[in-house]
Amino acid sequence: MIASALQASPVAVIRLYLRKLSLPVLLLLLPGPLFHFMLPFTRTVIAPGRDFIRYYLWPQMEYMVSVKFGSFPIYSPFVSCGDFTSLMAGIGQLYLPLPYLASLLPGYWTGFAFDWLLLLNLLMMSVSGIVLLVFLRRLSVSPLVAFALTSVTVFSPRSLVCLGYGFGSAAWAGHILTCAVLGLYFLNPDRIGKPLLIVGASYWTISSGHPEEVYYCVLGTCLFALLLPYIVETVLPQRRCSFKEKLRFWGFWVVCCGLSFLLSAAYIAPLYAEVIRNMDFANMTFEQSAISLDTLPGLIYNFFLPVRTGFFGCFGGTSMYLMVLLIPLIKLLRQPAGRGNWLILTFIGLVFLYMAGEATPVFSAFWKILPFASSTRNPSRASLIMPILFLPGLVWLFTTEQTVSLVVFKRRRSIPVRSVLGAAAIIMLLSGLLSLHLMSPPISVHVRLKALFLPAWVEPLLISVGFLTLLTVVVHGLSLRYKTTAEIFLCVLICLGLTLMMRYGSLPFDQKYDKGVLTLDRLLAQKQKTLRLVPGYLFLFETGAHWAEREQFKNYFVDPYLGQIFRKYRVAENRQDAYRILNQQRQRDEVVVEGYQPDEAGGGMTEACAGGPDRVRLVYSTYNRLIFEAEACQPAFFFLSYPDPDRHWRAWVNGETVNIYSANGISQAVRIPTGKSRVEFRYWSAAAFWGMAVSCLTMAVIGILAAVRCRGKAAGFLLAAAAVCLSGGLFVLWSNSLYSGRSFQTAYTWQTPTDRELTNLAYGKPAEISLYNKIHPAYLHARRGVDGDRSFDSCFVTASHQNPWFKIDLGKVSTVGSIVITATLKGYEENKMFLYFNDNAAATEIDGIFLFTQVPVLFNNLPLILAISIDDKNWQYTRIDNFEPDAPNRFQLAQPADIRYVKVIASGTCRLCLNEVEVYPPED
């Protein structure tokens, strides 16, 4: 055809290529109308989801700053114990090319990172859709129908939830792309190109960053690979393959899948070794895993009115799915339905029942059988699998030439299967809507709130679109004359329905985005103040936290000072002994170290020495490496507050390797001599090192295998040499970047506090609160109120209840002259804080966009009551009507009093959230 066009005229060639490229271009542009309310580089300020900003955009830019400075981060001071860097690095997609590409684009560092990342994620989905379109065309699907089926699969309402996470959309696009390329390979195998694409797409999916989303995407791809031979046999009856050929294909997929996992070792090796093995999240109880954000009736709404389905379980992008469910009717009408369709329907039913969680026994059975199923939350996430499972059934309906003999108007007619099932689906749609309306089944809280702000015309229009879609399918089968018109109308209806669903359907959480928040200048300015991400910004669910850090917060706290010098020390036999000492009148100027053997007499309780205060200054700072200049007037301990329960850090003092001791729980300390010392700490991860080695070696092996399959010897040799050089160079570049690069120039200095500064009687003392928060009982523990840190980043928070209180036990009766209370919870901090609690929910509407938010409960209701006691029974109360949130509030006792207990009480139903409570003796 192309050859004849070339012989005819250049105009014919142009027309031919324009016709071939028109649908791919439309797919490339389709996100514009579908996501019109959040388009990048427009005046809109609506983000696709709260997590897109706080868990994807923000950490990714933090990591890109480190890469820009020449250091690849394998440690992050803003995640739990640093061991969860591998988890956050995956979320920031450090192992995908996307963030590196985005960081090179104009405007990324001047406030448009959000726009570029959103655009690239939308383009990823479009590209996967183009490949899927090519696969459907190879299955003999007409161009316009292929466009409609591709649109409803790639841009399923579930894709909006994936986009809301940011990193989830990469898994979604990789899942669709892998399935499409697998299909193309099965139809027409080649030696190099498609196998490389399959491995690359699988790698993209695995390394995309959200373990739970990745789990179901990989599971869905494996299901598709298992069913693909039967699907092709059903859609293309002339193409039969033996069981031996099927085994060969499945073996090929297993090899590709194995190579992609090995290629992803740089990400998944430390993820397993340093995260999964050290947190409760990987071994949840059945009750924790089965918690669902949707109801069984809510899931059923996918087939009738998907706008009433919760965001995780929403996959119903078209009423045509009802036709797939009705395929068994063909068997009742004595027509073969095909083995592939029966298998598809079986797995659709199993996945749907799995999504229902505890409502059916299916989830319980698979929770016990499926590997890693016990490490996932919310079974309705399995909706990720549904669009790719429904797709083959729709393909068969639009390609089969089967007809059903029926009597219509007293005449027997042969009616195409899709027209019969389309008519049956119309009846089922109307009956289902009527039944659901009469029963008013329970739906999720999110859906009920969302319904409050849905315009009155949305649901009727969606119902009309569903009805017209099915009617169009009926006409498409019955009339050859209007077939093309029906296909055009079908595409329009599909796009209209998806647009409505994207805007009013499955968006879980939304957030207004300030495009000026994230710039390179602002990030660098933050780095010069602190190596933390953003104070108080990132709270992790404690089921995903390191067990040792949870124990630390329950038993003590993490010292707020990055580095300091301790002349006095006490030796503990083990961790529990250390906590015992820390809670028994440990002084602020002494450190508790584990396993240290004093090398000089009298070292355990060294008194202050002459020569001025000890000093510490941070002179080099990257995420993986810290260098301090320390000056001590006698042998002492240099203390680094970074938690290190798994002993990943290595230390050098004046160029010599030294032992690191666990100090004050899970922090660390090294011994330094008298005088000036250069103290260096480096973070080392064996899992990250060997994972990267395996990834690079796998890259070289893949290149060599591709070279072996290359037809030309010279080309094969060059390909193998290039693969080996590229993988080796990548590993050398990565390993050399771990401890090099420019310093963040973080400003940090410390010197020995004066005696007056050491007299805070509340420092480190046992403390408790009236009711702990269920989500964060350890991270927001009462001990954070006595850790010496007045910043909001170190506050405790009670649960919301009547008259919440905080109490300190000074350990012994002491003479007290004043009490200082600091609470900076206001404005931005308060808005950040309430996002992490689930007391209430509310819905709002901004610029026509539905926003599902949480109601900010009240904090620190005035008047506050300051109470003191000597025996925890008889209390003296002082009413506080005025409280300054910008500075420490000092309350001078009328006269010095002997007390042991101090309590702060808030009024009414609220949360008590204080940064620090300090108790001081009378001034001289």
Side-chain angles (χ1 to χ4, degrees):
M1 181 178 178
I2 295 177
S4 61
L6 284 170
Q7 294 174 1
S9 74
V11 176
V13 176
I14 295 173
R15 288 178 178 174
L16 175 65
Y17 277 102
L18 286 177
R19 191 165 58 194
K20 283 182 170 294
L21 293 175
S22 59
L23 292 180
V25 170
L26 282 177
L27 270 176
L28 204 61
L29 300 176
L30 187 57
L34 294 187
F35 301 97
H36 61 280
F37 55 96
M38 62 172 71
L39 281 180
F41 303 105
T42 62
R43 297 181 63 183
T44 179
V45 291
I46 301 297
R50 189 179 66 202
D51 288 351
F52 187 97
I53 297 174
R54 69 175 181 174
Y55 287 131
Y56 176 53
L57 174 63
W58 212 304
Q60 184 181 111
M61 291 196 71
E62 289 279 337
Y63 286 132
M64 287 300 101
V65 169
S66 181
V67 172
K68 187 178 182 68
F69 272 48
S71 176
F72 187 93
I74 58 172
Y75 176 82
S76 298
F78 51 86
V79 295
S80 176
C81 291
D83 285 343
F84 296 94
T85 296
S86 51
L87 177 63
M88 294 302 295
I91 289 174
Q93 295 182 339
L94 268 180
Y95 299 95
L96 293 183
L98 188 144
Y100 302 93
L101 171 63
S103 66
L104 298 175
L105 295 173
Y108 179 88
W109 294 111
T110 56
F112 290 95
F114 166 83
D115 303 86
W116 280 119
L117 288 172
L118 180 55
L119 179 62
L120 290 174
N121 277 277
L122 293 175
L123 287 176
M124 279 194 307
M125 290 193 283
S126 292
V127 169
S128 67
I130 291 171
V131 180
L132 183 62
L133 178 72
V134 174
F135 170 55
L136 296 185
R137 293 289 292 120
R138 298 288 172 83
L139 290 176
S140 301
V141 182
S142 66
L144 290 174
V145 172
F147 175 83
L149 299 187
T150 297
S151 301
V152 82
T153 302
V154 175
F155 299 105
S156 162
R158 184 59 172 83
S159 67
L160 185 57
V161 181
C162 295
L163 187 63
Y165 287 112
F167 41 87
S169 61
W172 175 260
H175 164 57
I176 299 294
L177 182 61
T178 307
C179 292
V181 181
L182 271 172
L184 289 172
Y185 177 84
F186 185 81
L187 293 174
N188 185 22
D190 66 14
R191 298 174 64 86
I192 301 176
K194 291 169 188 169
L196 288 178
L197 277 176
I198 292 169
V199 173
S202 300
Y203 165 82
W204 187 285
T205 304
I206 295 167
S207 300
S208 58
H210 194 300
E212 292 172 304
E213 303 278 298
V214 168
Y215 178 77
Y216 287 113
C217 284
V218 171
L219 187 61
T221 306
C222 290
L223 276 178
F224 184 81
L226 178 65
L227 296 173
L228 184 58
Y230 301 102
I231 293 169
V232 173
E233 285 182 345
T234 302
V235 175
L236 303 174
Q238 71 277 12
R239 186 185 176 92
R240 296 286 177 180
C241 60
S242 65
F243 188 70
K244 184 177 180 180
E245 291 174 315
K246 293 173 183 173
L247 284 177
R248 187 182 300 117
F249 171 73
W250 292 331
F252 165 79
W253 163 242
V254 170
V255 171
C256 289
C257 195
L259 286 173
S260 61
F261 271 97
L262 291 174
L263 196 60
S264 305
Y267 165 56
I268 61 178
L271 179 69
Y272 174 77
E274 299 171 355
V275 178
I276 294 178
R277 294 198 309 171
N278 290 323
M279 68 179 186
D280 293 340
F281 183 73
N283 299 285
M284 292 185 290
T285 64
F286 175 76
E287 290 73 18
Q288 290 173 318
S289 296
I291 294 175
S292 179
L293 298 181
D294 210 344
T295 63
L296 182 57
L299 296 174
I300 293 174
Y301 266 114
N302 271 294
F303 304 105
F304 302 99
L305 195 56
V307 75
R308 295 199 179 189
T309 300
F311 49 90
F312 274 129
C314 187
F315 62 85
T318 176
S319 57
M320 291 191 296
Y321 286 165
L322 287 171
M323 297 168 55
V324 178
L325 298 181
L326 292 172
I327 286 177
L329 284 178
I330 303 301
K331 188 66 177 178
L332 295 178
L333 295 173
R334 300 179 181 179
Q335 292 291 327
R339 185 188 305 175
N341 284 329
W342 289 112
L343 289 172
I344 288 167
L345 287 170
T346 299
F347 281 106
I348 286 175
L350 288 174
V351 173
F352 185 83
L353 294 175
Y354 177 96
M355 289 166 57
E358 291 182 298
T360 73
V362 174
F363 175 72
S364 175
F366 280 100
W367 186 84
K368 299 174 183 176
I369 298 171
L370 281 178
F372 300 109
S374 61
S375 300
T376 62
R377 302 166 298 161
N378 197 348
S380 57
R381 286 182 187 271
S383 59
L384 280 163
I385 302 174
M386 296 297 262
I388 205 69
L389 287 180
F390 273 101
L391 178 64
L394 293 175
V395 169
W396 178 77
L397 287 171
F398 279 97
T399 56
T400 182
E401 298 298 328
Q402 283 184 232
T403 59
V404 176
S405 181
L406 295 175
V407 177
V408 181
F409 298 116
K410 298 182 180 181
R411 294 182 59 184
R412 184 165 293 276
R413 299 173 182 270
S414 294
I415 302 176
V417 164
R418 60 180 169 278
S419 296
V420 174
L421 294 184
I426 290 174
I427 297 173
M428 187 176 180
L429 175 64
L430 297 177
S431 301
L433 287 170
L434 180 61
S435 301
L436 290 169
H437 175 72
L438 293 176
M439 291 187 299
S440 298
I443 53 180
S444 68
V445 175
H446 167 256
V447 176
R448 290 200 303 272
L449 292 169
K450 179 173 57 179
L452 296 175
F453 292 92
L454 281 180
W457 53 267
V458 171
E459 288 189 346
L461 182 56
L462 277 171
I463 294 172
S464 301
V465 168
F467 174 80
L468 290 174
T469 299
L470 295 174
L471 186 60
T472 303
V473 175
V474 173
V475 174
H476 181 270
L478 291 176
S479 175
L480 290 176
R481 181 179 178 183
Y482 296 105
K483 191 172 183 178
T484 302
T485 303
E487 290 181 354
I488 295 173
F489 195 47
L490 179 66
C491 292
V492 172
L493 288 170
I494 290 293
C495 292
L496 176 59
L498 290 176
T499 301
L500 290 172
M501 281 301 303
M502 292 302 179
R503 178 160 182 173
Y504 297 107
S506 61
L507 194 64
F509 299 102
D510 213 335
Q511 182 167 327
K512 298 192 70 173
Y513 175 64
D514 179 3
K515 294 183 178 180
V517 168
L518 290 177
T519 64
L520 180 61
D521 292 340
R522 180 165 180 173
L523 289 169
L524 290 180
Q526 183 70 26
K527 285 289 153 285
Q528 291 173 5
K529 296 178 182 177
T530 176
L531 289 171
R532 294 172 179 171
L533 179 64
V534 171
Y537 183 74
L538 186 64
F539 286 110
L540 295 176
F541 286 95
E542 292 188 15
T543 52
H546 197 291
W547 64 268
E549 189 172 35
R550 292 199 310 275
E551 289 300 310
Q552 176 77 12
F553 279 110
K554 289 178 180 178
N555 288 280
Y556 201 60
F557 51 82
V558 174
D559 288 74
Y561 299 103
L562 177 64
Q564 55 185 310
I565 294 174
F566 287 100
R567 300 170 186 169
K568 301 178 183 179
Y569 65 87
R570 295 188 184 183
V571 178
E573 296 179 0
N574 50 45
R575 187 66 44 79
Q576 292 305 315
D577 187 39
Y579 288 140
R580 179 187 61 80
I581 298 172
L582 288 169
N583 287 290
Q584 290 182 353
Q585 303 302 312
R586 172 244 170 179
Q587 300 300 312
R588 186 170 180 174
D589 59 345
E590 63 183 3
V591 65
V592 178
V593 294
E594 298 176 34
Y596 174 67
Q597 299 295 328
D599 52 6
E600 53 182 317
M605 291 293 291
T606 306
E607 298 298 331
C609 60
D614 300 328
R615 292 183 174 86
V616 172
R617 184 170 70 92
L618 181 63
V619 296
Y620 180 89
S621 57
T622 61
Y623 285 157
N624 308 329
R625 185 184 181 197
L626 299 172
I627 299 178
F628 297 88
E629 286 183 353
E631 184 177 356
C633 67
Q634 66 177 45
F637 276 102
F638 183 92
F639 175 87
L640 180 67
S641 65
Y642 279 179
D644 188 27
D646 295 324
R647 312 302 295 270
H648 283 299
W649 285 91
R650 298 176 177 180
W652 290 261
V653 175
N654 297 326
E656 296 184 2
T657 305
V658 295
N659 291 328
I660 298 180
Y661 301 95
S662 294
N664 288 355
I666 59 175
S667 295
Q668 45 196 317
V670 296
R671 195 69 171 161
I672 60 173
T674 303
K676 293 183 179 181
S677 300
R678 186 178 178 87
V679 184
E680 179 176 352
F681 289 89
R682 292 185 179 186
Y683 184 85
W684 167 255
S685 170
F689 177 84
W690 290 111
M692 180 58 73
V694 170
S695 290
C696 292
L697 180 61
T698 304
M699 185 187 300
V701 170
I702 291 172
I704 293 172
L705 290 175
V708 170
R709 295 173 66 88
C710 190
R711 297 184 184 277
K713 292 184 178 180
F717 176 78
L718 290 175
L719 181 60
V724 172
C725 292
L726 179 62
S727 58
L730 179 63
F731 182 77
V732 171
L733 177 65
W734 175 83
S735 57
N736 287 339
S737 72
L738 295 181
Y739 310 112
S740 60
R742 289 183 291 156
S743 170
F744 288 137
Q745 297 181 344
T746 307
Y748 176 80
T749 59
W750 177 93
Q751 70 176 20
T752 306
T754 64
D755 292 339
R756 184 66 186 89
E757 292 178 289
L758 294 174
T759 56
N760 176 15
L761 303 176
Y763 175 79
K765 298 301 188 294
E768 58 181 308
I769 54 180
S770 51
L771 184 63
Y772 283 96
N773 179 267
K774 293 181 180 179
I775 300 177
H776 304 288
Y779 278 101
L780 302 177
H781 197 275
R783 300 302 290 269
R784 292 166 68 95
V786 291
D787 62 357
D789 188 354
R790 291 178 174 178
S791 72
F792 173 76
D793 203 33
S794 179
C795 65
F796 69 83
V797 185
T798 70
S800 180
H801 66 289
Q802 185 73 19
N803 299 330
W805 53 260
F806 165 75
K807 184 172 69 174
I808 305 171
D809 179 4
L810 299 180
K812 63 180 180 180
V813 177
S814 304
T815 303
V816 175
S818 62
I819 297 172
V820 177
I821 302 175
T822 306
T824 58
L825 187 64
K826 64 166 191 172
Y828 177 59
E829 286 82 2
E830 184 169 352
N831 290 332
K832 287 187 301 182
M833 178 63 74
F834 78 75
L835 292 175
Y836 300 99
F837 305 102
N838 299 312
D839 295 279
N840 293 293
T844 57
E845 186 182 16
I846 298 178
D847 299 330
I849 306 300
F850 168 77
L851 303 177
F852 178 51
T853 59
Q854 290 173 293
V855 174
V857 297
L858 297 175
F859 288 87
N860 304 344
N861 279 3
L862 295 177
L864 295 180
I865 304 299
L866 178 59
I868 56 176
S869 173
I870 197 171
D871 56 6
D872 201 17
K873 295 179 181 179
N874 302 300
W875 294 88
Q876 298 179 29
Y877 300 98
T878 302
R879 179 184 172 114
I880 303 173
D881 292 301
N882 297 311
F883 192 87
E884 175 57 52
D886 292 326
N889 292 260
R890 180 176 292 273
F891 301 99
Q892 197 77 31
L893 300 185
Q895 58 184 8
D898 292 336
I899 62 174
R900 176 173 174 175
Y901 300 94
V902 176
K903 183 185 287 189
V904 180
I905 310 168
S907 299
T909 300
C910 65
R911 295 185 185 278
L912 184 63
C913 176
L914 304 177
N915 300 4
E916 194 74 11
V917 177
E918 302 161 70
V919 180
Y920 290 96
E923 296 183 2
D924 296 334

